[in-house]
Amino acid sequence: MTEALLKYFRTKEQEVKSEKRYDTQCPFCSMQCKMQLIEQSIVTRKKYITIGKDNPTSEGRLCIKGMNAHQHAFHKERLKYPMVKVNGEFVRTTWEKALDLIKENFTKIQEEAGLNALAVYGSASITNEEAYLLGKFARVALKTKYIDYNGRFCMSAAASAASQTFGLDRGFTNSLSEITSTCCLILAGTNIAECQPTIMPYFERAKENGAYIIAIDPRETATTKIADLHLQPKPGTDAVLANGLLKVILEENYVDEAFIQERVNGFEEVREYVLSLCLEEIEEITGVPIPLIRKAAVRFGKEETGMIFTARGVEQHTNGTLTVRNFLNILCSTGKIGKSGCGYGAITGQGNGQGAREHGQKADQLPGYRSIENEEHREYIAQIWGVNKDDLPGKGVSAYEMMEKIDEGEIQALFLMCSNPVVSNPNAHFVKEAMKKLKFFVAVDLFVSETAKLADLILPASSYLEDEGTMTNLEGRVTLREASYPCPGEAKHDWQIICEIARVLGKEEYFSFSTAEEIFTELRLASNGGKADYSGMTYDRLKKEGGILWPCPDTDHKGTKRVFETSFAHSDGKAEMVVVSNIPEVPKEHVSEEFPLFLTTGRVMSHYLTGVQTRKSPALAARNIEPFMEIHPQTAVKFQIRDQSLVKIESRSGNVVVRSKWSESIRHDTIFVPFHWADSQNINLLVSKELDLACKMPGFKVSAVKVRPVTDF
């Protein structure tokens, strides 16, 4: 080929023949950044460009994951047809045959083993409409009590703590815009710079405006670098550190006595316990020097305004609920809640982590954040659904506990939607072996994930580009995700799949929806009067206003930017403080001579959750092609670990082999490994089965481990 021809084709390659634009939202983190996919047709191929769209939350920003999200949606391994397992291999089948197979197996299993022999496992990445419909499907179409979702491993500790303390769980008590005018900010166990990058400008602007930022994290991260003070506690000791901060606040009299008298219960009990503690003992337990504890406490206490933000670093523990409650004790004691520049924020992980738990996917909840054990709540929802309240099943169990029920044989069939529990659950080897015992397993997904490989039937779902619906972001803002890209092959929306299965099970009258908006209309009615009240929202309003903060009880209501201004959500209007002991209710993993190091886990910027989607994106996968073990150089030398070498990590629950990465940014007694990989590099193989007593959160952030170099590779 001549140089002239090469030049001609290179020129034509860049010539855009046509262009289409598709409005959508990022499918990943809880910022739910609005964006637009531009599809350009050029001579030899299609080219895709993603740009941000202005909105009240991310203000048009995108991170590297959002800019490349389309790569997994168009991946060659995307599921396009129902696939049934025949002789151990998946083969294409028709929707009609797939639905008949579901009907046959679900019916037979329930006839032989009872209604609760079926279970439903949901997701915090699906829309509000689909989360709502999935809860209804479990309780009306299947009549099973067993339903839970993967958000159990993300937000349950923060949700339980907020509900117990304030009577209401909305991710942020204030809108994001108030961050910039706050005098002091505590970031506890959150690496927002990598996990929610588009939120960072709020904190950067706050710092420019004079805010003092305190970061609490055993590692130095891109987030701790913006802090004025970085406290590095031993993993699992955050509740004790909070007691230390509170002790100084009490001793220095930075409490708001008027606020406490009028709006708080339990303060005196907390005061008595905390003042009995010894700072020297707290220093020994946490590893944080007393002068730094004092400095942080005095700075937060004396400032007129302050906010505290928590994330998985302090939540994913077997005492996660109480740990968050202790940070809320600090807010209540200082009166920094319910007013401008003062409040709490739980940095939600998954895209719809807030909304997905509000409308019925959790074992104990009904739509609108109602309780399945409350007779009035059951009566109201039963009327909306057109069923007898006595026919609604009771409370089930948490996500991991469902795996135990599968292992015991009580649950014999599973309907899984958009989740990957053999990677995301603790004690991952046990979970995988338990799921192999299922008599019938249906998975709904975009890809054949590590969990879907175990299924008898896989149903192809739609992606964020194709599936319209509402999502609720980290600040409690409900947004409308527009999605008009055509589904590939025979893929269907999650809500359509639920309706189709309900139809063949003879429950069509309860699931006769033809659009996502129709489902939202019923969701609005079901949420009316509940704590998470969406009844005043419509698709038209959400589109015009760029989202609405709940509660929004009527169509003239503008949404609630700040909750708890005059009253908390408990019946007496007061917040409930609680004594948090330095000795946890569930004993956490302890280091020993055999297992001398703490393992903590987390994320990297280029990947999301178990990596099923981001590992299909070449631009993202190339940034982190494998997991790594971050270890301090002095610790590495002690255990004969060379930089960039293979190392075996072993806990009491399992072992993995990953590559080492020397870093002076981590404590000497701690190693860090990200959790986005599967199979033999699934770090959750090392996490024990112990759960938080209140919310059933596993202890992902603390495992006692030993490390050694691998020489046989």
Side-chain angles (χ1 to χ4, degrees):
M1 187 178 290
T2 66
E3 284 295 319
L5 283 172
L6 282 171
K7 184 177 180 180
Y8 169 80
F9 281 113
R10 289 193 188 106
T11 302
K12 296 304 261 183
E13 175 77 3
Q14 302 304 318
E15 187 176 334
V16 177
K17 296 297 184 183
S18 63
E19 182 176 283
K20 295 180 181 178
R21 291 176 177 248
Y22 300 92
D23 291 327
T24 186
Q25 287 175 204
C26 180
F28 299 125
C29 90
S30 58
M31 284 295 283
Q32 280 301 287
C33 303
K34 285 193 171 292
M35 58 193 195
Q36 188 176 76
L37 178 72
I38 303 172
E39 181 182 76
Q40 296 178 337
S41 295
I42 52 183
V43 172
T44 59
R45 62 188 176 91
K46 288 184 177 180
K47 181 180 179 181
Y48 299 96
I49 303 169
T50 301
I51 60 173
K53 288 182 62 182
D54 189 34
N55 65 93
T57 301
S58 60
E59 303 170 326
R61 295 183 290 273
L62 290 179
C63 79
I64 191 69
K65 287 196 290 291
M67 287 188 285
N68 291 284
H70 62 275
Q71 292 183 348
H72 81 258
F74 299 134
H75 196 276
K76 64 182 180 180
E77 293 179 15
R78 173 86 184 270
L79 287 167
K80 298 178 182 178
Y81 308 97
M83 306 291 286
V84 64
K85 188 173 285 181
V86 178
N87 297 325
E89 300 292 332
F90 285 111
V91 297
R92 179 177 170 179
T93 189
T94 65
W95 273 102
E96 182 179 8
K97 290 180 179 178
L99 292 169
D100 285 343
L101 190 63
I102 293 172
K103 177 183 178 181
E104 176 188 345
N105 282 276
F106 279 10
T107 302
K108 181 181 179 182
I109 288 171
Q110 285 192 315
E111 285 177 349
E112 293 178 351
L115 297 176
N116 293 322
L118 297 189
V120 175
Y121 195 113
S123 169
S125 294
I126 60 179
T127 65
N128 288 318
E129 291 81 355
E130 290 157 348
Y132 166 80
L133 207 61
L134 195 61
K136 182 179 179 181
F137 173 74
R139 287 149 180 147
V140 175
L142 300 182
K143 295 187 176 180
T144 179
K145 68 178 180 180
Y146 288 129
I147 175 172
D148 210 69
Y149 77 130
N150 61 14
R152 178 69 67 173
F153 304 138
C154 178
M155 294 304 302
S156 60
S160 294
S163 294
Q164 292 170 10
T165 302
F166 303 138
L168 177 72
D169 159 41
R170 192 181 82 171
F172 278 31
T173 61
N174 313 55
S175 66
L176 279 170
S177 60
E178 293 191 26
I179 293 173
T180 59
S181 59
T182 303
C183 295
C184 188
L185 297 156
I186 293 179
L187 303 178
T190 175
N191 185 11
I192 50 178
E194 292 196 69
C195 300
Q196 284 90 4
T198 56
I199 200 178
M200 280 294 285
Y202 288 102
F203 294 95
E204 291 165 348
R205 290 201 293 268
K207 192 174 178 69
E208 290 170 2
N209 292 336
Y212 190 85
I213 299 178
I214 302 165
I216 300 173
D217 197 311
R219 303 167 61 220
E220 289 180 15
T221 67
T223 303
T224 65
K225 289 178 181 178
I226 72 165
D228 298 281
L229 178 62
H230 178 198
L231 308 181
Q232 291 185 267
K234 296 176 185 177
T237 64
D238 303 282
V240 180
L241 176 59
N243 272 333
L245 297 172
L246 189 51
K247 178 178 174 65
V248 174
I249 286 170
L250 293 172
E251 289 179 339
E252 299 294 329
N253 198 29
Y254 289 120
V255 298
D256 188 332
E257 297 286 358
F259 181 87
I260 292 166
Q261 182 67 30
E262 181 182 350
R263 302 192 58 189
V264 176
N265 290 323
F267 174 75
E268 290 303 326
E269 292 83 353
V270 173
R271 188 209 301 257
E272 181 180 357
Y273 173 74
V274 171
L275 289 178
S276 73
L277 299 175
C278 173
L279 280 180
E280 285 75 17
E281 182 181 352
I282 290 173
E283 178 183 58
E284 182 179 352
I285 294 172
T286 65
V288 179
I290 291 176
L292 296 186
I293 295 175
R294 287 192 181 279
K295 186 176 182 180
V298 169
R299 191 58 187 251
F300 188 81
K302 75 177 184 180
E303 295 289 1
E304 183 177 349
T305 59
M307 301 179 79
I308 295 178
F309 298 87
T310 68
R312 308 305 81 72
V314 300
E315 298 165 12
Q316 285 182 324
H317 298 275
T318 54
N319 67 333
T321 299
L322 285 173
T323 298
V324 177
R325 291 203 69 178
N326 221 13
F327 281 102
L328 300 185
N329 282 343
I330 295 173
L331 284 180
C332 291
S333 298
T334 57
K336 291 183 171 68
I337 184 74
K339 53 189 177 184
S340 179
C342 294
Y344 169 63
I347 309 290
T348 308
Q350 296 190 67
N352 200 27
Q354 179 72 48
R357 69 179 181 266
E358 295 169 355
H359 300 297
Q361 278 194 106
K362 284 181 73 175
D364 60 345
Q365 286 182 196
L366 290 171
Y369 234 134
R370 289 180 165 89
S371 170
I372 201 164
E373 297 182 295
N374 182 297
E375 288 302 314
E376 289 184 12
H377 293 179
R378 290 169 63 86
E379 178 69 38
Y380 179 79
I381 296 301
Q383 289 178 2
I384 299 298
W385 289 348
V387 299
N388 189 311
K389 76 175 178 66
D390 294 330
D391 291 336
L392 292 177
K395 177 182 175 180
V397 298
S398 72
Y400 179 78
E401 290 171 314
M402 285 205 302
M403 299 300 149
E404 294 178 325
K405 297 291 185 184
I406 292 172
D407 182 64
E408 295 163 3
E410 183 173 342
I411 294 174
Q412 299 181 11
L414 181 67
F415 181 73
L416 174 80
M417 181 160 279
C418 306
S419 193
N420 194 14
V422 302
V423 179
S424 63
N425 271 245
N427 200 16
H429 177 73
F430 164 81
V431 170
K432 185 174 183 178
E433 293 305 308
M435 293 189 73
K436 290 179 180 179
K437 296 180 180 181
L438 288 165
K439 291 183 178 179
F440 188 62
F441 174 24
V442 183
V444 179
D445 213 324
L446 300 176
F447 300 99
V448 183
S449 70
E450 289 79 13
T451 302
K453 288 176 183 178
L454 305 177
D456 300 288
L457 179 68
I458 310 177
L459 304 177
S462 56
S463 78
Y464 75 103
L465 290 172
E466 304 134 15
D467 190 20
E468 181 183 61
T470 61
M471 308 286 278
T472 306
N473 72 10
L474 78 175
E475 58 178 341
R477 187 182 301 275
V478 182
T479 61
L480 175 62
R481 183 178 74 191
E482 299 174 78
S484 58
Y485 203 90
C487 290
E490 296 177 5
K492 294 180 183 288
H493 304 314
D494 298 327
W495 65 264
Q496 289 177 319
I497 294 171
I498 294 169
C499 290
E500 285 290 298
I501 297 174
R503 177 182 60 79
V504 299
L505 294 176
K507 302 293 183 178
E508 183 176 11
E509 63 178 300
Y510 305 106
F511 298 87
S512 56
F513 303 102
S514 57
T515 66
E517 188 171 8
E518 287 181 7
I519 303 169
F520 189 70
T521 299
E522 184 174 293
L523 182 157
R524 291 172 57 205
L525 187 59
S527 73
N528 186 27
K531 291 182 177 179
D533 193 335
Y534 286 22
S535 56
M537 305 179 195
T538 65
Y539 270 30
D540 186 54
R541 281 195 68 189
L542 293 172
K543 188 172 183 178
K544 287 180 179 178
E545 299 174 31
I548 300 171
L549 288 153
W550 69 260
C552 180
D554 60 69
T555 53
D556 293 325
H557 196 284
K558 294 182 179 180
T560 307
K561 290 187 176 181
R562 187 186 308 126
V563 292
F564 313 137
E565 289 184 306
T566 59
S567 176
F568 293 100
H570 289 300
S571 58
D572 63 357
K574 293 188 175 184
E576 296 286 340
M577 291 179 64
V578 66
V579 172
V580 179
S581 172
N582 279 354
I583 303 173
E585 292 181 303
V586 178
K588 65 181 179 67
E589 290 254 318
H590 288 283
V591 294
S592 63
E593 186 175 345
E594 182 181 5
F595 298 99
L597 298 174
F598 292 112
L599 162 69
T600 192
T601 67
R603 307 177 186 224
V604 294
M605 184 184 291
S606 59
H607 284 294
Y608 177 70
L609 300 183
T610 62
V612 172
Q613 296 172 72
T614 52
R615 284 186 274 122
K616 296 292 192 299
S617 170
L620 298 176
R623 288 171 171 259
N624 293 95
I625 61 173
E626 64 178 359
F628 57 86
M629 179 192 74
E630 189 174 284
I631 186 171
H632 195 280
Q634 292 182 23
T635 309
V637 170
K638 177 180 178 180
F639 292 100
Q640 300 179 326
I641 305 295
R642 291 181 292 108
D643 190 24
Q644 298 298 313
S645 65
L646 291 177
V647 57
K648 185 175 183 179
I649 313 172
E650 186 175 355
S651 75
R652 298 176 179 92
S653 299
N655 64 83
V656 299
V657 174
V658 297
R659 195 171 300 279
S660 66
K661 178 182 178 181
W662 284 19
S663 171
E664 294 185 352
S665 300
I666 194 167
R667 289 179 56 93
H668 291 68
D669 58 3
T670 303
I671 62 171
F672 167 83
V673 181
F675 55 63
H676 311 291
W677 285 267
D679 301 323
S680 62
Q681 292 187 314
N682 177 9
I683 198 62
N684 287 335
L685 290 167
L686 277 60
V687 177
S688 81
K689 65 179 182 179
E690 299 302 321
L691 305 175
D692 183 301
L693 296 178
C695 68
K696 308 304 180 183
M697 171 73 82
F700 291 110
K701 289 295 186 279
V702 183
S703 298
V705 298
K706 57 185 175 182
V707 298
R708 66 173 178 84
V710 174
T711 57
D712 53 350
F713 275 79

